[in-house]
Amino acid sequence: MPVHALERVVLQLNFTHQFQFAGYYAAIEQGYYREAGLDVTLVEGGDGRRAETAVLAGQAEYGVGNSTLLLSRLAGKPVVVLAVVFQHSPSVLLMRQHGGAPDVHRLAGAPVMIGAPADVASASDEVSLFLKKMGVAPQQMRHLPPSYRVEDLIDGKVDAIAAYSTNEPDYLDRAGFPYYQFTPRTAGIDFYGDNLFTSEHELRRHPERVRAFRAASLRGWQYAMAHREEMAQLIHAKYSQRHDSAHLLYEAQQMELLLQPVLVELGYMNPQRWQHIADTYAAMGLLAPDATASAAYRGFLYRPVPGADLGWLYLSLGVAGSLLAVSAAFHFSNLARERRRTEETIRQGELRFRTMFEEAPMGIALIDTLSGQFLDINPRYLAIAGRSLEHMKKSSWMEISHPDDVAGEQEQVAQLLARRLSGFRHSKRIVRPDGGVVWVDASVTAIETARHGGPHHLCMLEDVTDKRQSEALIWQQANFDTLTQLPNRRMFHERLRLALAQGRRDTSRVAILFIDLDHFKEVNDTLGHHQGDILLIEAARRIRVGVRETDTVARLGGDEFTVILSDLDDLQQVDRIARQILDGLLAPFLLGQEQAFVSASIGITLYPDDAGNIEDLLKHADQAMYVSKGAGRNRYSYFTPALQVAAVNRMRLGADLRTALREQQMQLYYQPIVALHSGRIDKAEALLRWNHPQRGLVYPPDFLALAESSGLIVEIGDWVLRAAAAQLLRWRADGHAIGQTGLQLCLNLSPLELQREAEAPGTWLRQLMALDVPVSAIVLDMREDALLGTGSGAGSGMAQRLQHLRDAGVQIALDDFGSGHASLTQLQQCGIDYLKIDGAMIRKLAPGASELALCEAIVSVAHKLGMRVIAEGVETAAQRTLLHDIGCDYAQGYLFAPPLTIEAFDALLHAQRPLPP
């Protein structure tokens, strides 16, 4: 077989290499151009005019241009549009934020990069037309030559730039630069973008080459949009390193909104849309109102199937139209004596047939099997196809069918021609002129009409789009999360099952990442569920950006996400992806007027290393995630066998905890809090201990987390309140009172108890009143994270929660102050009465030490804000003296007494003597 040399052609791009031209890279790399007999060279462009200039000068056979090609054609330039890539142009106006509402009129007199006012090509693009339509003329602005650098906008060199929605916004978002984005479509300027075009010279001399180049290019675009991550890696590795892979994927994601590959056939162009573009130019004074009716416009839009020679089609239509009449005449030619009666019968029969044909509730068409041309069509078929009778009779069934469905139907039609089938049924899609897609169930039957120019077939179809959409919606709702559009738990399990099956076949590893957002609950409680939902949607997007195209990201519910990583060649990929997810979530989340910060804790398990089934893998990933939580959050941890042992211990301890109260295993210890100026016991902190029958004395750090996660903490807290209140009343009855307030008891309140108080205000107070304990005798100890939460609105939200407690006379103490991030102003807003300085700071107290200066500052500012200070963990007389000298109010620690049983504390109260100052 002879080997034919490839024809060399040049495609001139209108900008530099990036995902914007992914379809052409795909056509080269996948060999589509080579299969079409073409050797294609891609040439980068610097601005929007170079492609048109290169093609008309013969430096390139093909180019990529915007909708100003229409102006060039009507100006006499022989350009021909072959296909539309972007159904909506990506052109936007980006303007720096100046405060207040966005207003393009502020650009009057401002420096901009939108093309010079005297430059017709630049002044006729969508952004310039948009500004003109909004009342901002080009001459009103100071035009600088476009540099295509977002830094000029960020640095204040210009106030606005013309840009692509697929490109510059990503870099502005990364820089945290506030900007407004204006889309010309909002003003009715809806142009095509990145049109593939050639010259009339190329089309006349090489019509087959034009057809082959167009078809191969569109195949490339179909591949590129279906393999975005692969193409991003290819572009970055082979064509340009100007943009990183994350930006190329951002570009691909934004392009999908503009190409609309699911709704519109790639390359499709609607003459009515071009008429809209011409009307827009005419309204702006750039074209005559009837410009598209001129001879210059004819030939501007390329037709893949020429339509000039239609004589055979009209002959076929005539033959088909007279089919029944000729057949009837031939059949009854020998029955002359019954002619009149027969002719009337035939006429009535034809009338009934035509009536049934015209009024049938399903679409019916007679089609030439060889050419695919429509010979006769009823109104219902025309309505389904969205076309006129004249349009349909100039088309074939292949032209109105979705490209993905044509090959399969052609194979079955070939079976009809070979008489191996008499008919078939199938589902397919019809693409309407406006780009809409209609799903139909079609029934095709061969008809023996060879004597009239056949073979023909009859196609009957029913519009099932609504049914398909309903089925798709039901399937979507059953398998995808309605908020984030990620796979839900059901779809996640199915994809994980398939990934493990593939891993078993390929003996490859699969990694599962269990992701839990840190501090999400505080954001939800503080800013509301609506803002929480916005955060979840953005978090889902950031997680998706951090993984590969082939990976699955799912939302299991709440703030829990999972990722399936399959086909792992190198376990370092897992580390890299986990780190990308963590880094992506650290940027602030913009929620209305507020900012929120969350991080993530990730647990990782590997198949088959850690387990061989889904249940164990998920359990191990969950255990590893809790290790990340416990280690300080914002990190990832791998599962280890030791985690399983620890998890079993936690499970058993949790089961034992459920019976601890019922079997009276809980006990309160009390540690005195001493007034430093008098040395007397003024308060006592109630501390919980668990007398486990096998483990002995269990301290709160070992079981409170379990109590909180299981919800038992509320029940335990109620028991603590009852037991402590009863003991307090006994002490007061024994006369242990200081001044007018008497002995106060400090009770620790967990975040869940605080949440209950927020949801049902007064619950805790009613319990206290039922126990006949005065509220002035209670000080509530709260952890800093429980009290303040996260987010900018947390302090005011917590103040509202505590308002009814403070109004009733309850005092609030903040535990372990100095170990977190609370400010004194926030504490004042939340109504704090006591600051308890963390023991870690007290242990370092010494003359001249920075900790002493810091404690002195805390005491001074706290006193000015009306708060008193308690020092925790005081163990030496020197520490007590230093604290007394700087004005600290109270102290507790082993210097005075460790946590004591009731009996020991009773003895201490009876024997107490004032300590020397």
Side-chain angles (χ1 to χ4, degrees):
M1 180 179 294
V3 178
H4 299 285
L6 298 178
E7 296 185 59
R8 294 185 177 180
V9 295
V10 173
L11 171 60
Q12 175 67 58
L13 307 178
N14 61 346
F15 204 60
T16 56
H17 288 306
Q18 53 193 82
F19 205 96
Q20 180 183 351
F21 307 113
Y24 309 117
Y25 309 136
I28 291 175
E29 302 299 329
Q30 296 301 313
Y32 300 152
Y33 286 138
R34 189 169 57 253
E35 292 173 13
L38 302 174
D39 178 8
V40 177
T41 299
L42 301 181
V43 178
E44 283 189 301
D47 56 55
R49 294 169 295 162
R50 284 193 55 186
E52 182 182 323
T53 303
V55 170
L56 294 179
Q59 299 166 352
E61 285 73 24
Y62 304 95
V64 178
N66 59 23
S67 292
T68 56
L69 289 168
L70 177 62
L71 296 177
S72 298
R73 177 74 186 196
L74 294 173
K77 296 179 181 179
V79 292
V80 179
V81 177
L82 301 178
V84 166
V85 177
F86 285 30
Q87 292 295 318
H88 302 289
S89 171
S91 293
V92 293
L93 174 70
L94 302 180
M95 175 179 166
R96 68 170 43 251
Q97 288 190 16
H98 293 286
D103 186 2
V104 295
H105 295 90
R106 293 186 178 184
L107 294 181
V112 298
M113 288 183 179
I114 310 177
D119 185 343
V120 176
S122 295
S124 59
D125 66 17
E126 297 97 308
V127 171
S128 298
L129 293 178
F130 165 75
L131 287 170
K132 187 175 180 181
K133 193 167 184 179
M134 298 300 290
V136 183
Q139 295 79 6
Q140 293 179 269
M141 299 172 286
R142 291 191 287 117
H143 293 267
L144 301 181
S147 66
Y148 306 104
R149 296 174 67 255
V150 295
E151 290 79 7
D152 289 335
L153 184 62
I154 295 173
D155 297 340
K157 183 177 180 180
V158 293
D159 280 5
I161 60 172
Y164 274 3
S165 62
T166 56
N167 188 24
E168 286 85 354
D170 181 36
Y171 289 116
L172 293 178
D173 291 342
R174 293 190 191 190
F177 179 76
Y179 63 95
Y180 298 122
Q181 178 171 305
F182 300 92
T183 304
R185 287 205 303 275
T186 60
I189 302 172
D190 190 5
F191 286 9
Y192 285 135
D194 277 20
N195 308 293
L196 184 63
F197 73 96
T198 188
S199 65
E200 285 189 343
H201 175 76
E202 171 73 4
L203 186 58
R204 272 196 312 270
R205 295 192 59 189
H206 305 286
E208 285 303 312
R209 186 164 77 184
V210 172
R211 182 193 61 77
F213 179 82
R214 178 183 183 276
S217 298
L218 295 182
R219 283 184 69 192
W221 273 111
Q222 288 176 337
Y223 184 90
M225 295 311 294
H227 302 81
R228 289 179 287 181
E229 181 165 334
E230 174 189 332
M231 293 308 302
Q233 293 173 351
L234 170 70
I235 295 168
H236 189 262
K238 188 170 181 178
Y239 288 91
S240 174
Q241 283 77 47
R242 292 186 186 93
H243 310 282
D244 59 28
S245 296
H247 176 77
L248 295 172
L249 287 173
Y250 170 88
E251 189 181 359
Q253 182 183 32
Q254 298 302 312
M255 282 173 55
E256 183 147 9
L257 304 174
L258 303 174
L259 271 70
Q260 300 185 337
V262 176
L263 301 176
V264 182
E265 177 186 2
L266 281 165
Y268 174 78
M269 50 186 176
N270 186 348
Q272 294 176 352
R273 277 285 298 284
W274 281 108
Q275 181 63 54
H276 162 76
I277 295 170
D279 292 343
T280 302
Y281 281 137
M284 306 303 285
L286 297 174
L287 281 180
D290 57 349
T292 56
S294 66
Y297 179 74
R298 286 196 292 274
F300 176 56
L301 304 183
Y302 174 73
R303 287 180 58 86
V305 179
D309 183 12
L310 298 177
W312 63 273
L313 175 58
Y314 298 139
L315 178 61
S316 298
L317 292 175
V319 171
S322 60
L323 178 61
L324 292 175
V326 172
S327 298
F330 180 82
H331 182 68
F332 292 103
S333 61
N334 295 323
L335 303 175
R337 58 186 175 179
E338 297 183 10
R339 181 181 299 275
R340 290 191 187 91
R341 182 173 60 83
T342 301
E343 286 179 348
E344 179 62 20
T345 300
I346 293 172
R347 192 182 68 79
Q348 292 295 333
E350 289 177 344
L351 181 60
R352 285 195 299 272
F353 169 77
R354 176 52 61 179
T355 300
M356 288 187 294
F357 179 77
E358 297 288 346
E359 300 298 329
M362 65 173 52
I364 306 174
L366 182 66
I367 301 175
D368 184 291
T369 307
L370 286 173
S371 67
Q373 298 291 320
F374 293 95
L375 305 179
D376 202 358
I377 316 144
N378 76 345
R380 180 56 183 156
Y381 202 115
L382 294 174
I384 292 173
R387 291 169 169 82
S388 66
L389 179 62
E390 180 183 8
H391 189 173
M392 286 290 283
K393 288 194 172 184
K394 293 179 182 179
S395 306
S396 69
W397 67 260
M398 291 85 75
E399 290 178 290
I400 71 169
S401 298
H402 193 283
D404 293 346
D405 299 336
V406 171
E409 190 170 357
Q410 281 179 324
E411 291 179 5
Q412 292 180 299
V413 170
Q415 298 287 320
L416 284 184
L417 286 170
R419 299 194 176 186
R420 288 193 286 270
L421 285 177
S422 60
F424 60 89
R425 295 179 61 87
H426 69 299
S427 295
K428 61 179 285 187
R429 287 162 289 182
I430 291 176
V431 182
R432 288 177 168 170
D434 62 0
V437 176
V438 181
W439 274 99
V440 296
D441 283 345
S443 176
V444 177
T445 305
I447 298 179
E448 295 293 339
T449 56
R451 71 186 71 180
H452 301 296
H456 300 154
H457 63 266
L458 194 68
C459 178
M460 294 181 289
L461 49 83
E462 180 182 4
D463 185 346
V464 294
T465 304
D466 290 343
K467 177 183 176 184
R468 283 268 183 165
Q469 290 175 343
S470 297
E471 291 173 348
L473 179 61
I474 292 171
W475 184 86
Q476 177 79 14
Q477 291 174 340
N479 293 281
F480 286 82
D481 174 49
T482 55
L483 179 66
T484 63
Q485 303 305 308
L486 293 177
N488 60 14
R489 185 181 298 271
R490 176 178 173 177
M491 176 61 79
F492 166 73
H493 277 266
E494 176 61 19
R495 292 193 179 178
L496 181 55
R497 184 185 64 80
L498 295 175
L500 297 186
Q502 182 69 35
R504 280 191 289 270
R505 287 193 297 270
D506 301 343
T507 63
S508 60
R509 280 189 170 99
V510 178
I512 300 171
L513 279 61
F514 200 103
I515 305 169
D516 189 88
L517 300 184
D518 304 324
H519 308 301
F520 172 74
K521 186 177 184 302
E522 288 91 333
V523 174
N524 222 22
D525 293 344
T526 302
L527 301 181
H529 292 288
H530 174 68
Q531 299 295 354
D533 287 347
I534 295 174
L535 188 150
L536 288 174
I537 293 170
E538 174 62 13
R541 186 194 70 81
R542 295 187 190 182
I543 294 172
R544 192 73 193 84
V545 169
V547 304
R548 302 168 302 176
E549 187 72 22
T550 55
D551 299 329
T552 292
V553 178
R555 181 187 178 214
L556 299 188
D559 58 349
E560 294 180 346
F561 297 85
T562 52
V563 177
I564 304 172
L565 307 178
S566 53
D567 295 326
L568 292 172
D569 301 324
D570 183 356
L571 289 183
Q572 290 183 353
Q573 291 177 294
V574 181
D575 292 325
R576 177 179 58 81
I577 291 172
R579 177 48 57 192
Q580 286 177 180
I581 293 172
L582 293 175
D583 292 345
L585 291 171
L586 286 179
F589 289 79
L590 301 179
L591 306 176
Q593 299 300 315
E594 304 285 353
Q595 274 191 347
F597 295 84
V598 300
S599 55
S601 298
I602 302 178
I604 304 172
T605 188
L606 298 173
Y607 168 87
D609 307 61
D610 299 330
N613 61 73
I614 291 176
E615 182 180 355
D616 288 342
L617 286 168
L618 293 181
K619 180 174 63 177
H620 294 165
D622 187 54
Q623 292 166 2
M625 183 274 292
Y626 275 105
V627 171
S628 296
K629 287 277 188 191
R633 299 183 172 91
N634 189 33
R635 66 194 63 220
Y636 61 91
S637 303
Y638 284 89
F639 170 80
T640 65
L643 295 183
Q644 177 68 5
V645 174
V648 171
N649 287 333
R650 283 198 306 272
M651 180 186 68
R652 291 173 179 168
L653 194 63
D656 292 344
L657 186 61
R658 296 185 179 279
T659 64
L661 284 177
R662 185 173 64 249
E663 297 182 2
Q664 299 182 352
Q665 296 172 4
M666 293 296 178
Q667 182 179 358
L668 286 182
Y669 279 54
Y670 298 90
Q671 186 173 32
I673 299 175
V674 173
L676 289 176
H677 71 282
S678 66
R680 293 185 59 81
I681 298 173
D682 196 53
K683 310 177 195 304
E685 181 174 1
L687 299 167
L688 186 62
R689 300 292 184 264
W690 178 11
N691 285 312
H692 194 280
Q694 285 82 38
R695 300 171 184 259
L697 205 60
V698 182
Y699 289 85
D702 296 326
F703 67 86
L704 281 185
L706 286 173
E708 289 182 346
S709 63
S710 64
L712 289 172
I713 191 66
V714 174
E715 185 179 349
I716 293 173
D718 290 344
W719 178 87
V720 168
L721 177 60
R722 290 194 302 270
Q727 184 59 44
L728 179 66
L729 291 175
R730 285 194 292 271
W731 281 329
R732 287 199 161 203
D734 290 341
H736 297 296
I738 300 297
Q740 297 179 351
T741 61
L743 182 68
Q744 283 187 310
L745 202 57
C746 297
L747 301 179
N748 290 284
L749 198 66
S750 76
L752 281 182
E753 292 178 278
L754 188 61
Q755 178 64 26
R756 182 184 66 170
E757 190 65 22
E759 294 171 353
T763 302
W764 194 86
L765 284 174
R766 285 191 294 272
Q767 289 178 307
L768 202 61
M769 292 174 63
L771 296 169
D772 199 25
V773 174
V775 292
S776 61
I778 300 298
V779 178
L780 292 182
D781 274 16
M782 298 181 185
R783 297 200 307 264
E784 190 173 319
D785 57 346
L787 188 62
L788 298 177
T790 61
S792 59
S796 59
M798 186 56 61
Q800 293 174 0
R801 293 183 184 185
L802 298 178
Q803 185 63 48
H804 67 283
L805 292 174
R806 290 187 283 112
D807 290 344
V810 177
Q811 292 184 316
I812 308 296
L814 184 67
D815 211 359
D816 299 330
F817 183 74
S819 62
H821 306 286
S823 70
L824 290 169
T825 302
Q826 288 173 310
L827 304 182
Q828 186 185 36
Q829 291 173 350
C830 290
I832 301 302
D833 299 287
Y834 297 97
L835 286 184
K836 302 184 76 173
I837 301 178
D838 186 49
M841 188 181 300
I842 300 302
R843 282 194 295 273
K844 298 178 181 178
L845 286 184
S850 60
E851 286 78 12
L852 179 60
L854 185 56
C855 285
E856 186 174 9
I858 291 173
V859 171
S860 175
V861 175
H863 285 172
K864 290 180 180 178
L865 294 177
M867 292 179 258
R868 284 168 287 179
V869 181
I870 302 172
E872 298 180 299
V874 178
E875 297 179 353
T876 68
Q879 293 169 352
R880 182 198 63 191
T881 301
L882 290 172
L883 289 167
H884 177 272
D885 292 345
I886 64 174
C888 183
D889 303 286
Y890 302 96
Q892 71 180 101
Y894 277 68
L895 173 66
F896 310 104
L900 302 171
T901 63
I902 293 173
E903 296 76 15
F905 195 86
D906 279 340
L908 184 64
L909 285 176
H910 283 95
Q912 76 169 345
R913 293 288 184 273
L915 296 174

